[in-house]
Amino acid sequence: GQNIDQPTEMTATEGAIVQINCTYQTSGFNGLFWYQQHAGEAPTFLSYNVLDGLEEKGRFSSFLSRSKGYSYLLLKELQMKDSASYLCAVLDSNYQLIWGAGTKLIIKP
Amino acid sequence: NAGVTQTPKFQVLKTGQSMTLQCAQDMNHEYMSWYRQDPGMGLRLIHYSVGAGITDQGEVPNGYNVSRSTTEDFPLRLLSAAPSQTSVYFCASSQGGTASGANVLTFGAGSRLTVL
């Protein structure tokens, strides 16, 4: 079967750095997405990786290793507004999105 | 620019009742989809459409019906509601179809459905 694994919950301190990991086992791979979802709101797009390496976008960076079936989302200079769930999703060989259950990130002052 | 608009935001149904969740987008997106989100699980695809007049089943289609008569609208119908359909439902659209790699989805605000 297809599987996306992410930690259920993480806690970090305002101003610090946090890395949210995502491992996947899917039938084929056509890209990996990260979405942010604040409580009670819709998911919003953060990043897309299809090639190995690091993609940087402001305070957020996303890394992909296709050979290891692994990605991480790196958040720097954490702010209270970063408290949210972070969803990892893989586009499989049929171009269907397979979603992880999400990582709830709690930021403490 | 409204993006993706879903109604209603909240709904309580009794078992056996039917209802329609409305979804409309004003971005001229070809691809539209319905997901359900349950605690501890990833988003699960119910139905999707790659253009007007074309619909297909996702991972969990049973108990749901869709139609796509226009590019803008993609309603989701619950035929006979069951408690297992208690969930948060999201409509999402994207510029490209599923065969385009950077399939960035724009989501509606969600509809919280409770079936008693």
Side-chain angles (χ1 to χ4, degrees), chain B:
Chain B
N1 192 352
V4 179
T5 303
Q6 276 183 246
T7 56
K9 291 186 74 70
F10 300 94
Q11 183 72 50
V12 179
L13 291 177
K14 294 181 179 178
T15 296
Q17 288 185 317
S18 62
M19 76 158 297
T20 299
L21 298 176
Q22 302 290 346
C23 176
Q25 53 91 9
D26 61 359
M27 298 172 286
N28 203 32
H29 283 174
E30 290 296 322
Y31 179 85
M32 296 187 74
S33 56
W34 277 101
Y35 284 92
R36 59 179 289 173
Q37 187 173 43
D38 300 293
M41 302 182 73
L43 288 163
R44 291 184 292 170
L45 182 65
I46 304 171
H47 284 284
Y48 65 98
S49 169
V50 298
I54 306 169
T55 63
D56 209 343
Q57 296 181 350
E59 179 187 357
V60 289
N62 292 340
Y64 306 96
N65 211 347
V66 292
S67 60
R68 185 93 180 271
S69 56
T70 66
T71 299
E72 293 79 20
D73 299 299
F74 191 48
L76 178 73
R77 297 181 188 84
L78 279 71
L79 309 172
S80 177
S84 61
Q85 294 178 304
T86 293
S87 187
V88 179
Y89 291 85
F90 287 100
C91 179
S93 70
S94 70
Q95 181 68 44
T98 54
S100 67
N103 190 16
V104 177
L105 292 170
T106 300
F107 285 83
S111 299
R112 183 174 294 273
L113 175 67
T114 301
V115 183
L116 303 175

